[in-house]
Amino acid sequence: MKKKSWISFPLAAFFFFGCHSPQPAPRSPADLLAARTNYPAHWWTPVPTNGAPGWEILPQAAGLGEVILSKRNELGLLSNFAATPFTFHGKRYASLEGFWQMMKYPESPDDPRATFPCVSWNFTREQVAQLSSFEAKHAGDLGEKNMQTMGITWVTFEGKRMEYKPATPGEHYRLIVKATREKVRQNPEVKKVLLATGDLILKPDHHQEPDAPAAWHYFDILTQIRTELRRDAD
């Protein structure tokens, strides 16, 4: 006589289906359109992939409720690269990127980075602070190569050392947040564009390392500042 299975159909169905989360329904063009109704349509205008730089995430890559902070339109003002001057701790910086990258450079002639043998600096710290866009990034890349040569993982601000790529958010992250906040506060057009993004999920326009530190997540920092601005306006 054949032995009956002790698992009933409902219970078997639970084991078969219950451990699998339902898959989200595909996003239809109508869903995407509805989510973007209150925003400028050109924020999502498709850009030809042919000729696009390899680092770039194009506007059409945005998912439901998302927007790419593309340098191809006014959302580019929110980029660290943007020429959006601001004053921080009494000094003027041409861009957030210039502020970021100048921290890799020696602060004074007796800075150990300035006296390290066989290392040359193509720019001064002050010069980097007045750069923006890819020029600032290029200067920063040169500075980072020198950091690797010297075997150091820290940068400085006002004489204080801080880890450049910490595992958890630290002093460098808090400094970048404060500087970003000042950039937004001191540039009305930047503030206007940021608030215009409403409830959209802000996404970067370039590929980042999977384990990039929190300070690299400028889109999350801007989201935090957007929340603060809306709260203060209430």
Side-chain angles (χ1 to χ4, degrees):
M1 180 176 175
K2 188 176 180 180
K3 189 175 182 181
K4 294 182 179 179
S5 170
W6 60 270
I7 302 179
S8 66
F9 176 77
L11 189 58
F14 171 79
F15 280 113
F16 186 79
F17 297 107
C19 295
H20 295 79
S21 300
Q23 295 298 312
R27 301 164 182 164
S28 69
D31 289 334
L32 292 171
L33 181 62
R36 299 169 181 174
T37 299
N38 298 321
Y39 304 99
H42 67 266
W43 286 358
W44 295 276
T45 299
V47 173
T49 56
N50 289 340
W55 56 261
E56 186 177 14
I57 299 174
L58 299 175
Q60 62 263 32
L64 184 64
E66 298 176 346
V67 67
I68 305 296
L69 299 181
S70 177
K71 296 179 183 66
R72 295 174 180 269
N73 56 54
E74 68 270 27
L75 292 171
L77 285 173
L78 303 177
S79 168
N80 290 353
F81 277 27
T84 47
F86 65 97
T87 299
F88 187 67
H89 286 220
K91 292 186 178 181
R92 189 166 176 80
Y93 300 92
S95 68
L96 200 57
E97 190 69 17
F99 173 79
W100 180 298
Q101 303 298 351
M102 66 92 189
M103 287 190 278
K104 300 173 182 177
Y105 281 71
E107 292 197 38
S108 64
D110 59 351
D111 187 310
R113 293 170 294 186
T115 59
F116 196 91
C118 302
V119 167
S120 61
W121 299 92
N122 294 4
F123 302 92
T124 66
R125 189 179 179 96
E126 291 70 24
Q127 288 173 331
V128 178
Q130 300 311 313
L131 298 176
S132 59
S133 192
F134 288 97
E135 289 77 16
K137 178 65 167 58
H138 172 66
D141 289 343
L142 294 176
E144 193 155 359
K145 286 182 180 179
N146 281 349
M147 289 171 62
Q148 293 170 356
T149 299
M150 292 181 286
I152 64 173
T153 58
W154 47 265
V155 294
T156 63
F157 182 71
E158 296 180 342
K160 184 176 182 179
R161 294 185 185 185
M162 60 196 81
E163 281 297 312
Y164 184 52
K165 295 182 177 181
T168 57
E171 193 63 32
H172 180 259
Y173 168 77
R174 289 188 287 272
L175 189 62
I176 294 300
V177 171
K178 290 177 183 177
T180 306
R181 191 177 287 120
E182 285 304 309
K183 164 190 167 171
V184 174
R185 187 181 70 82
Q186 296 177 36
N187 289 275
E189 194 62 25
V190 174
K191 178 180 177 180
K192 178 182 176 182
V193 170
L194 179 58
L195 288 173
T197 61
D199 295 317
L200 292 170
I201 300 169
L202 309 182
K203 306 295 288 185
D205 76 332
H206 58 279
H207 300 285
Q208 295 194 328
E209 301 171 13
D211 57 348
W216 270 246
H217 295 178
Y218 69 103
F219 43 96
D220 288 335
I221 294 173
L222 287 165
T223 300
Q224 174 186 331
I225 294 171
R226 183 179 68 184
T227 300
E228 294 169 0
L229 290 172
R230 293 169 69 174
R231 181 192 62 211
D232 294 343
D234 292 340

